[in-house]
Amino acid sequence: EADIYQTPRYLVIGTGKKITLECSQTMGHDKMYWYQQDPGMELHLIHYSYGVNSTEKGDLSSESTVSRIRTEHFPLTLESARPSHTSQYLCASSEASGRASDTQYFGPGTRLTVL
Amino acid sequence: KNQVEQSPQSLIILEGKNCTLQCNYTVSPFSNLRWYKQDTGRGPVSLTIMTFSENTKSNGRYTATLDADTKQSSLHITASQLSDSASYICVVSDRGSTLGRLYFGRGTQLTVWP
């Protein structure tokens, strides 16, 4: 079992609220990622980070923002949640050896529902 | 366009039976292919990883094969158990970027009945 944690596991919130999804890992991995996954669909990369103070947007455009102030922590923030943000959000991390074969370890995910 | 297609979309089998899941990809340049298992409400967990030169890899009752020429992979599950019920996701990595970009299939939802 990978040492990567996400909180909350489930969140139901009203439109317009600001939310932060937490992700922490204790493996000392430099690379971290946020994915969005809808039921029956593939994972889409929305943000990634190579290390502290490094953040990049992924393939799927997202209104969320991320920060990487500490190696182990990679929170995702939505300033104003909308029903279209309803989805499962998965956080992952991997070593920064530069090899494409580095395995990504996933957290359990946060299921977000915006009413 | 880099894509990963999986079949079947869903599969129901009886406990103890074997099954094979398929994955076709068009990702280029190819680096490696992984099979992940995703239990309901959980994050994916890596089962196997194969590079271009490998054509088979086993992990317990899971055996993955890779044909890099036809760009096809399969995951064979032997003597299925109830705990095998999950989504199995094929993930292909390219070597065209330092990130090692991953391309995900939509998964095959496997249900094992007693």
Side-chain angles (χ1 to χ4, degrees):
Chain A
E1 191 87 8
D3 295 324
I4 181 164
Y5 309 97
Q6 290 185 243
T7 58
R9 292 292 314 281
Y10 303 92
L11 180 61
V12 180
I13 202 164
T15 297
K17 299 294 185 182
K18 177 181 178 179
I19 61 169
T20 296
L21 308 184
E22 302 288 348
C23 175
S24 295
Q25 50 95 6
T26 59
M27 296 174 283
H29 288 167
D30 283 319
K31 290 183 180 176
M32 295 190 74
Y33 316 80
W34 276 103
Y35 291 90
Q36 188 172 336
Q37 184 184 30
D38 293 319
M41 301 296 287
E42 62 269 45
L43 279 72
H44 290 285
L45 182 67
I46 53 175
H47 297 284
Y48 61 96
S49 167
Y50 284 116
V52 172
N53 294 326
S54 154
T55 60
E56 302 285 346
K57 289 191 177 295
D59 305 317
L60 182 67
S61 175
S62 174
E63 294 166 345
S64 59
T65 59
V66 293
S67 63
R68 190 87 183 278
I69 299 173
R70 303 199 314 266
T71 298
E72 63 271 20
H73 196 211
F74 192 38
L76 180 146
T77 298
L78 274 167
E79 291 292 333
S80 180
R82 295 206 302 268
S84 61
H85 296 138
T86 295
S87 188
Q88 167 136 319
Y89 293 84
L90 289 161
C91 180
S93 72
S94 68
E95 294 182 19
S97 65
R99 296 192 306 270
S101 60
D102 287 340
T103 296
Q104 290 189 18
Y105 296 91
F106 287 84
T110 293
R111 169 70 64 184
L112 173 65
T113 302
V114 184
L115 304 176
Chain B
K1 180 181 177 182
N2 289 321
Q3 285 187 313
V4 177
E5 302 286 344
Q6 291 187 242
S7 63
Q9 183 176 347
S10 61
L11 180 64
I12 300 174
I13 61 173
L14 294 177
E15 186 178 15
K17 298 297 185 182
N18 305 334
C19 67
T20 300
L21 315 180
Q22 301 291 342
C23 173
N24 296 334
Y25 63 92
T26 59
V27 177
S28 181
F30 174 84
S31 175
N32 58 71
L33 184 147
R34 294 177 174 85
W35 283 93
Y36 276 86
K37 178 186 179 186
Q38 185 175 21
D39 292 314
T40 300
R42 307 291 297 179
V45 175
S46 180
L47 292 175
T48 63
I49 178 173
M50 290 179 292
T51 59
F52 185 88
S53 59
E54 297 173 297
N55 55 25
T56 187
K57 184 72 69 75
S58 292
N59 178 1
R61 294 179 296 102
Y62 301 104
T63 299
T65 64
L66 173 65
D67 186 334
D69 292 330
T70 61
K71 298 185 177 181
Q72 295 179 325
S73 176
S74 66
L75 180 69
H76 186 74
I77 304 175
T78 304
S80 61
Q81 300 176 358
L82 299 180
S83 59
D84 292 332
S85 294
S87 179
Y88 291 85
I89 303 173
C90 177
V91 184
V92 182
S93 176
D94 72 15
R95 50 184 173 83
S97 66
T98 55
L99 178 66
R101 184 64 52 86
L102 301 184
Y103 297 88
F104 291 81
R106 294 185 177 185
T108 292
Q109 184 64 49
L110 174 66
T111 303
V112 181
W113 283 1

